[in-house]
Amino acid sequence: MTDPVSPERPAISYAQLLETNQLIQACADSTYWLCLTRTVQGSKLYPVSAYILLSYLNAFYRYPSLIRKVEASMPAEEIADRARQMGVKAQNSSIGWALPSFYLLGREYLINLGFLRPQDAIEDVITVMDFWKRFQLSWHRNDGHLTNADYNQRAQILPHSAVQRFAGEMHKVEPGGALSVAAQRFLATVSQYGFLVSAESRISLTNSGPYRLTDDSQLLMRDFMDLGETSLPWLDDIASDMPFNNLTVAMEVTGCHFHLVDDWGSFESTPEFTPDRLTGIGLYTSDTLSEGHVPVGMDTPETLTAMLDDLSDRAKAATDKLWLRMAEWSRDQLIDAGALSYYAICKEIAHIAGVFDPADWLEIDPRAERFRPLLSDEYADTALGELVGGLTLPSQQTAPHGMMKWSDKPTRVLTPLPLSVLNGAPFLPRMAPPMPGGSHLPAKNDRYQTTRGVLSLAQYNEAARAFVPKSCRPEENFRCETARAYPGCDR
């Protein structure tokens, strides 16, 4: 159990608790819907359930302190403004779902193990959910929603001017033509590479949109992230030939409607998005140090075709080498790679704020590490299944008259904060800061692939802190769609 009484009781208001509990419930509803409606991918190599549970625990013990460290350099809403200009891991599902949900699912698991009471770490919970809310409000400022789910599973993140730019710069794709063949090979090859990079998960790929182009065509944006020798230690030497860490593909799709782009960055369309429906394509790179999306091989259809083929060859070679590396790993190394892939899914907030530290994002905290012996495949599969789908854990049972949003059963995914703390009930406000952790994997080398070339960590952080993209300077950042439409609002 945690220490029950805080000698320094923080001032927490009724309004804070009400808002935080509403945000917790929004994550709970989204988590249940996403887990039950999306497909489940198994892995013959990775102990997926074990590493997911370990990542949740690491997130619980570390996210609050790391968020405070990030916000000491840059507030959540400014980070989101910058993230909107890039195709990096600071969008869906990284922040839109994973950041709050990993943290809260770790909390829920610990409550059921008896290591935590619902009122403990209350200040941490408020910190995480408040950061998430402000980031999401800024990230979604152009569509006015908090999540994709709130917008009927859409993510119209980009301003009109950006959509116009991507649509105008695209090269037309003829079914069966050279660009079409190169594009399909690129999408498949880099998807497979990203799947392996992220420990056989889909978190290195996300989609946003759709945006209406014509009555019969829509724009879908796809981001491939963490491709280069940047933040993940298992890509050291493996990805040195990948010239870009992040790649964004703008796709004009004709003859089908994307009726779902969810908070995991997955999409569904009617009819199915088949290769012959890809009628336009653009390719870009970006990161914390770039002036937004920078065109890659976009001069002519021929140069873009050559670039897509070259990147496909590089991704395939890196995939082969990465398979050989991972095939020799021990179970502990596989668990660490998976847990750190998940836990560090929101690490880009530290890169944007210029405070990234491998000790923060690439280590397992000792308080999470102590649960490793428990995480056999059999136990982890069952525990994770019950935590996010079965909802049979004691904390997830509500009063018998309760009817959960998506199931009508008297259950819930996540436990709200108890209001009784306002009557003086004892609680522990915060967990201790991150403890020196470790990993069974080699340490990250001091090479970070960026749009300014390969930098050391000190150089990368310093450059990030000093750089403000033109689009994020106040005179441009606050020229919103409303201001552009009404001359009297603009300057």
Side-chain angles (χ1 to χ4, degrees), residues 1-2 53 56-62 102-118 120-121 367-368 370-371 374 379 387 393 395 415 431:
M1 291 290 290
T2 50
L53 283 175
Y56 291 172
L57 294 168
N58 218 36
F60 175 78
Y61 287 115
R62 290 191 159 209
F102 286 6
Y103 173 79
L104 293 171
L105 288 167
R107 171 178 177 259
E108 200 68 26
Y109 185 46
L110 287 167
I111 289 173
N112 284 280
L113 290 178
F115 279 76
L116 197 71
R117 302 171 304 177
D120 288 328
R367 291 166 293 182
R370 60 185 162 169
F371 293 96
L374 191 64
Y379 172 82
L387 179 64
L393 304 182
S395 71
T415 301
M431 303 306 294

Side-chain angles (χ1 to χ4, degrees), residues 85-125:
Q85 322 296 324
M86 301 180 266
V88 302
K89 272 186 178 173
Q91 46 183 313
N92 284 337
S93 61
S94 308
I95 311 294
W97 177 78
L99 185 149
S101 298
F102 286 6
Y103 173 79
L104 293 171
L105 288 167
R107 171 178 177 259
E108 200 68 26
Y109 185 46
L110 287 167
I111 289 173
N112 284 280
L113 290 178
F115 279 76
L116 197 71
R117 302 171 304 177
Q119 68 267 38
D120 288 328
I122 194 167
E123 201 173 47
D124 286 347
V125 177

Side-chain angles (χ1 to χ4, degrees), residues 171-202:
H171 292 295
K172 289 297 179 184
V173 175
E174 296 293 335
L179 182 54
S180 174
V181 173
Q184 297 304 331
R185 177 172 175 246
F186 168 84
L187 293 172
T189 306
V190 179
S191 294
Q192 185 61 41
Y193 173 56
F195 185 66
L196 191 59
V197 164
S198 53
E200 297 204 319
S201 74
R202 294 172 288 198

